[in-house]
Amino acid sequence: MNICIYGASSAKLAPVYYEKTEELGRMMGLRGHGLVFGGGATGLMGAAARGVDAHHGYILGIAPSFFDQPGVLYEHCSEFIFTETMRERKKLLEERSEATIVAPGGIGTYEEFFEILTLKSLRRLNRPIVLYNIEGYYDIIKELLGQTADRDFMDRENLKLCEFMDDPEEILDYIENWQG
C-alpha cells in the first residue's frame, strides 16, 4: 500500500521528531509499504524517506518545480513528479496513496491535514487518516476538534474520521486493518 506522509520540512526540530519519523519510515519499508510525500530532503519528510529507503521501499516524491533547487529535494526517490502548483501537488499526493499519516508540522502540514479531513467528512474520499502524535504534538488539535464538536460547529461523528497515535507499529496495524 502507498501511504502519504505529510510533515515538517524544518531542519531545526528536536531530534526525537526525526528519530520517530525515520522509525516509522523503516517500519513502512519492512512491511512493504510505499511512501508518497512532498519530496523534501530535510525535516520529517526527509526522515520518512530515509527510513523507507533503508529497506529499499518505493518512494514517490511530488513537488512543485520551483522546489527543484540544490539540497531541497530527496535524491533517492523511486519516482519523482514535478507539478506547477502546490494545489496540483496535494491532488497527486491524495490520488497516488491509499492512507494518510500526518507527522508533526507547521502551517503547510495543518492545511494538508484539514483539507484531507474535510474531503473525508464530505465523503469525497475514504481512507485511514492518522495524526502521528509524537511527544503529544497533536494533543492541541485533538482538543480543538473536540471543542469544535462540543460547540456544534461540526458533527461529533467527524471526530471518528482520524486517529491520534504515537506508536509506528500501532499506526501501521491500524492502517493495514482499516475497514472503510
Side-chain angles (χ1 to χ4, degrees):
M1 171 186 312
N2 286 335
I3 301 172
C4 177
I5 295 184
Y6 299 131
S9 61
S10 175
K12 301 176 184 177
L13 308 175
V16 66
Y17 294 105
Y18 305 110
E19 292 161 6
K20 295 285 285 180
T21 305
E22 190 166 335
E23 176 186 358
L24 173 64
R26 283 193 308 275
M27 292 186 105
M28 286 173 56
L30 273 172
R31 291 168 98 161
H33 298 295
L35 170 65
V36 177
F37 79 125
T42 61
L44 303 188
M45 283 192 284
R50 287 189 302 278
V52 173
D53 201 18
H55 293 285
H56 311 289
Y58 174 76
I59 302 171
L60 170 60
I62 303 172
S65 53
F66 60 82
F67 281 175
D68 191 12
Q69 309 213 2
V72 173
L73 301 175
Y74 191 72
E75 295 180 359
H76 303 288
C77 291
S78 310
E79 182 181 358
F80 211 102
I81 298 173
F82 286 101
T83 64
E84 288 301 312
T85 68
M86 294 292 277
R87 286 187 178 139
E88 286 177 73
R89 174 198 207 188
K90 286 190 305 181
K91 185 176 188 300
L92 285 172
L93 288 167
E94 173 195 325
E95 290 174 354
R96 298 291 298 264
S97 62
E98 293 85 42
T100 301
I101 299 171
V102 185
I107 59 173
T109 303
Y110 298 157
E111 190 267 338
E112 290 163 333
F113 163 65
F114 280 113
E115 180 171 335
I116 206 94
L117 183 67
T118 300
L119 291 171
K120 188 172 180 180
S121 76
L122 296 172
R123 297 188 174 100
R124 304 302 349 141
L125 62 81
N126 191 24
R127 67 172 57 212
I129 301 170
V130 178
L131 287 98
Y132 190 14
N133 199 21
I134 301 169
E135 298 286 302
Y137 184 80
Y138 282 121
D139 288 350
I140 193 84
I141 296 289
K142 188 174 189 177
E143 185 180 322
L144 173 68
L145 292 173
Q147 184 179 118
T148 303
D150 289 346
R151 295 183 184 197
D152 296 323
F153 284 93
M154 77 175 190
D155 191 297
R156 181 151 296 285
E157 285 297 305
N158 287 342
L159 296 175
K160 299 176 185 173
L161 298 177
C162 63
E163 294 292 327
F164 294 78
M165 300 177 169
D166 64 1
D167 179 79
E169 210 165 319
E170 284 181 23
I171 291 170
L172 294 178
D173 287 346
Y174 170 76
I175 288 171
E176 291 167 358
N177 295 302
W178 185 77
Q179 303 284 320

